[in-house]
Amino acid sequence: MGVQQQQRAPIIQEGEQCRSSQSEGLKQTHSVINSLFSGALAGAVAKTAVAPLDRTKIIFQVSSARFSAKEAYKLIYRTYLKDGFLSLWRGNSATMVRVIPYAAIQFCAHEQYKQLLGATYGFQHKALPPFWRLVAGSLAGTTAAMLTYPLDMVRARMAVTPKEMYSNILHVFVRISREEGLKTLYRGFAPTILGVVPYAGLSFFTYETLKKVHAEQSGRSQPYSYERLAFGACAGLIGQSASYPLDVVRRRMQTAGVTGHTYGTILGTMREIVSEEGAIRGLYKGLSMNWVKGPIAVGISFTTFDLTQIMLRKLHQM
């Protein structure tokens, strides 16, 4: 009897290890699916909330008209009178097509990069040190931008053109490919990547750092919703201010085909903007609107992601 038990022991241990491995794999799959869904919802809610301001900002970014809060208000009001209330969300369908996969990939990639860096450098189940928090955010933003860039180009074109020019998202793709070539879908890609590294890196870094400091100071592991909104607003303010000139360059290059300009390189585009409009007025045009729009959008985005994650975990436990 004792011999039989000894023979069965390794088999039982092997079975337990197999079950443990399957359980770990299932847990990881749930984590990825939860992150993708939460990220997609976070991006959709945040961008829809600020879509009219976003569209107005893009129109000023790609034109030589001087920006001011008064002029921005006039543009929104004229658009409303001419084309109706829903026209303020023109291009938002293209934004959703782009932002849902972008936000899903970015938030999910951030969670995976945090785990990977934590496991590699011995910080598993702990907060990453500041430098690695910055790296995880930058890598997440870069991954998402690389995979969804053509959709951003389409959204920019729809935001600055009348309805008669492009009837829908597919029409933009077809017309750009036919008239300007497939390479045009990636015009402005370099400044996007250069801009997304500081933007995503600083946004995630600021939000994660503020949550960590809050937990240490308050003794509460989870901040309240309004605190999350405030942390996200700070993250958006810092991230977008740091990368804003590259955002202007990206928009100019993306819309060159419909504005009559021929922007070729990042430095060439910057030089042309500075010579025509000045460094501050040109490269930082619309930044004051971004200081309103950006913190709201990023705050909503981070808060929606965190709360959706918490809700999904509770549902999974139930």
Side-chain angles (χ1 to χ4, degrees), residues 197-217:
V197 168
Y199 170 66
L202 286 168
S203 295
F204 278 108
F205 168 80
T206 304
Y207 185 70
E208 295 280 317
T209 300
L210 288 173
K211 281 206 303 182
K212 182 175 178 290
V213 171
H214 171 271
E216 290 168 355
Q217 297 295 321

Side-chain angles (χ1 to χ4, degrees), residues 31-98:
S31 172
V32 170
I33 292 169
N34 285 358
S35 295
L36 285 170
F37 177 76
S38 302
L41 184 63
V45 172
K47 279 294 185 184
T48 301
V50 297
L53 294 176
D54 211 20
R55 181 174 186 265
T56 304
K57 182 200 74 171
I58 292 172
I59 290 170
F60 275 101
Q61 280 182 329
V62 303
S63 75
S64 56
R66 189 173 172 182
F67 175 84
S68 69
K70 187 179 178 183
E71 289 303 314
Y73 169 76
K74 280 183 182 175
L75 176 64
I76 291 171
Y77 188 60
R78 278 199 306 269
T79 305
Y80 162 69
L81 289 178
K82 184 184 172 188
D83 300 316
F85 182 69
L86 289 179
S87 68
L88 297 174
W89 274 264
R90 174 163 166 72
N92 196 50
S93 57
T95 301
M96 289 300 102
V97 170
R98 178 234 170 203

Side-chain angles (χ1 to χ4, degrees), residues 103 106-108 110-111 114 133-134 136-138 140-141 198-210 235 298 302 305:
Q106 180 175 241
F107 277 105
C108 183
H110 183 245
E111 295 297 306
K114 279 199 301 183
R133 283 203 290 276
L134 193 66
S138 297
Y199 170 66
L202 286 168
S203 295
F204 278 108
F205 168 80
T206 304
Y207 185 70
E208 295 280 317
T209 300
L210 288 173
V298 179
F302 277 123
F305 177 78

Side-chain angles (χ1 to χ4, degrees), residues 67-263:
F67 175 84
S68 69
K70 187 179 178 183
E71 289 303 314
Y73 169 76
K74 280 183 182 175
L75 176 64
I76 291 171
Y77 188 60
R78 278 199 306 269
T79 305
Y80 162 69
L81 289 178
K82 184 184 172 188
D83 300 316
F85 182 69
L86 289 179
S87 68
L88 297 174
W89 274 264
R90 174 163 166 72
N92 196 50
S93 57
T95 301
M96 289 300 102
V97 170
R98 178 234 170 203
V99 87
I100 287 172
Y102 180 90
I105 293 166
Q106 180 175 241
F107 277 105
C108 183
H110 183 245
E111 295 297 306
Q112 298 308 308
Y113 282 129
K114 279 199 301 183
Q115 287 180 27
L116 182 63
L117 291 168
T120 305
Y121 295 100
F123 299 105
Q124 267 183 315
H125 309 301
K126 292 187 218 169
L128 289 172
F131 174 73
W132 294 116
R133 283 203 290 276
L134 193 66
V135 170
S138 297
L139 287 172
T142 304
T143 302
M146 287 174 69
L147 294 173
T148 61
Y149 185 77
L151 295 168
D152 188 43
M153 156 68 99
V154 168
R155 174 249 183 164
R157 284 291 180 96
M158 287 190 77
V160 301
T161 53
K163 285 187 287 186
E164 300 76 37
M165 189 162 184
Y166 298 118
S167 55
N168 54 48
I169 296 165
L170 186 61
H171 186 211
V172 185
F173 272 111
V174 171
R175 193 162 171 181
I176 288 175
S177 303
R178 191 173 62 236
E179 295 177 6
E180 301 172 55
L182 282 170
K183 279 202 300 188
T184 304
L185 292 172
Y186 278 88
R187 185 183 289 156
F189 180 69
T192 298
I193 294 300
L194 288 175
V196 88
V197 168
Y199 170 66
L202 286 168
S203 295
F204 278 108
F205 168 80
T206 304
Y207 185 70
E208 295 280 317
T209 300
L210 288 173
K211 281 206 303 182
K212 182 175 178 290
V213 171
H214 171 271
E216 290 168 355
Q217 297 295 321
S218 68
R220 285 186 282 116
S221 61
Q222 296 295 339
Y224 297 128
S225 297
Y226 69 86
E227 291 170 329
R228 291 181 196 275
L229 279 168
F231 299 161
C234 291
L237 194 64
I238 292 167
Q240 293 193 339
S241 297
S243 61
Y244 195 78
L246 286 162
D247 190 43
V248 173
V249 170
R250 168 175 65 123
R251 293 302 183 200
R252 293 290 179 101
M253 293 177 79
Q254 284 178 336
T255 56
V258 292
T259 58
H261 287 85
T262 52
Y263 300 118

